[in-house]
Amino acid sequence: MIPRDASQTLTRLAKGFPVIAITGPRQAGKTTLARNLFKDNLTFL
């Protein structure tokens, strides 16, 4: 996986918020990023 600058920010935000929205263009790696960061606790729509 390509290292993402947003990884550290998302990890920090996840500690303070129960829900995080990851937005961006199609095929930018949003789902892959979420799956890799939150392997144990992932629910998405």
Side-chain angles (χ1 to χ4, degrees):
M1 183 175 107
I2 299 170
R4 305 284 181 186
D5 293 336
S7 298
Q8 292 177 345
T9 302
L10 288 173
T11 303
R12 180 175 46 83
L13 289 172
K15 294 177 183 175
F17 296 96
V19 176
I20 298 173
I22 302 173
T23 62
R26 294 174 60 189
Q27 298 183 344
K30 300 177 298 288
T31 302
T32 303
L33 176 65
R35 285 182 177 160
N36 287 325
L37 285 178
F38 306 111
K39 292 177 185 173
D40 299 332
N41 190 11
L42 176 66
T43 302
F44 62 91
L45 301 172

